[in-house]
Amino acid sequence: MIRALVDYALDNRFLILSAAILLLIWGAISFHNLPVEAYPDVANNYVQIITQWPGRAAEEVEKQVTIPFEIVMNGLPHLAQLFSTTLF
């Protein structure tokens, strides 16, 4: 299998060389079009957690799910800020 591939490449040098040149040009154009950020994104990471309890009022969900969840989340290391919103 490999021998047949090598024989084909040696017999069709112009075809293989032109394919290699096209790939090189395509790679150079792709590299040139890559977006480069001069300054990395140093913003804090954000996580959004949505809690739902079908058939329960928003006040119950807040008391029995959201507040205990916030208490547990407050113990995370390197936590900068915790923000909670309850929608009725």
Side-chain angles (χ1 to χ4, degrees), residues 13-73:
R13 291 180 184 154
F14 180 72
L15 180 67
I16 300 299
L17 185 62
S18 60
I21 290 172
L22 283 174
L23 284 174
L24 180 71
I25 292 171
W26 186 19
I29 291 171
S30 297
F31 181 75
H32 180 67
N33 290 334
L34 278 175
V36 177
E37 293 185 23
Y39 304 102
D41 186 15
V42 293
N44 291 333
N45 293 330
Y46 295 98
V47 177
Q48 183 177 13
I49 300 171
I50 300 172
T51 57
Q52 296 178 342
W53 194 356
R56 302 290 181 186
E59 293 87 6
E60 283 186 65
V61 175
E62 184 175 17
K63 287 179 187 175
Q64 296 180 9
V65 178
T66 306
I67 292 174
F69 201 80
E70 287 177 357
I71 293 170
V72 171
M73 294 295 287

